[in-house]
Amino acid sequence: MSLPGFEPAPHLSPLERDLVAHVERLCAGFPPAYWLEHDQAGRFPEEFYQAVARAGFLGIAMPTAYGGAGLGIRQAALLMERIAASGAGMSGASAVHINIFGLHPVVVHGTEEQKARFLPPLIRGEEKACFGVTEPDAGLDTLNLSTRAHYQGGRYVITGQKIWTTLAQ
């Protein structure tokens, strides 16, 4: 079953077509009324988030060694596009995007200990990644951020202020 007005492009691989179909089936369980209710109440769509986790999609681009699917950014982008197009819009996409894309630096640059500690619980939906950029005097202008982390006495000391953090409920 395909969403109205969407036919999988011929350039999609069989795996990608299966992925699109699976995401569409999952999203069909969360109709527009679900999103409206959560938007109006200002509630995080936890049921949707957990359904995405159970389907294995939070780990779509994570290594299989940590419970991920081992796919790439292209497949993750297809997942996000189908979530947004399902009627979930940015509410649905925003609920999962940081877990899917935000831990890529840990995947690429993290130690084995960091990967083993952080990736599995995020992939399983037990934890959520958060992302804090916005500051009172800089907004999202990352070239003018003033928050700093300094290593002192065996730990990091953070100075500065953030005003909004993605997924920090």
Side-chain angles (χ1 to χ4, degrees):
M1 175 168 118
S2 190
L3 293 175
F6 177 79
E7 291 299 322
H11 63 279
L12 295 182
S13 71
L15 179 140
E16 290 168 341
R17 287 185 182 171
D18 287 347
L19 169 67
V20 164
H22 191 159
V23 174
E24 288 177 350
R25 283 191 303 275
L26 183 145
C27 289
F30 298 90
Y34 173 86
W35 297 106
L36 179 61
E37 174 189 328
H38 283 73
D39 283 349
Q40 288 176 336
R43 253 186 11 251
F44 183 77
E46 187 67 35
E47 305 86 357
F48 175 75
Y49 180 85
Q50 291 303 323
V52 171
R54 282 190 305 275
F57 291 140
L58 290 181
I60 192 168
M62 302 284 184
T64 57
Y66 303 99
L71 299 176
I73 296 300
R74 175 184 164 98
Q75 291 80 28
L78 281 169
L79 166 70
M80 297 304 296
E81 189 274 336
R82 286 292 79 210
I83 288 172
S86 75
M90 286 306 296
S91 294
S94 294
V96 298
H97 82 288
I98 290 297
N99 268 44
I100 291 170
F101 298 109
L103 271 286
H104 192 67
V106 174
V107 171
V108 175
H109 302 290
T111 65
E112 287 305 314
E113 179 184 350
Q114 290 169 327
K115 293 174 189 179
R117 178 179 173 200
F118 295 117
L119 300 180
L122 290 166
I123 291 167
R124 290 190 302 262
E126 297 165 0
E127 300 285 345
K128 292 180 180 74
C130 296
F131 188 70
V133 174
T134 311
E135 293 185 357
D137 297 324
L140 290 172
D141 180 359
T142 57
L143 295 178
N144 287 306
L145 298 178
S146 61
T147 299
R148 298 287 182 260
H150 305 278
Y151 195 70
Q152 290 180 326
R155 65 188 185 104
Y156 283 95
V157 176
I158 299 173
T159 58
Q161 183 181 10
K162 298 295 181 180
I163 58 174
W164 184 73
T165 302
T166 300
L167 284 188
Q169 304 301 311

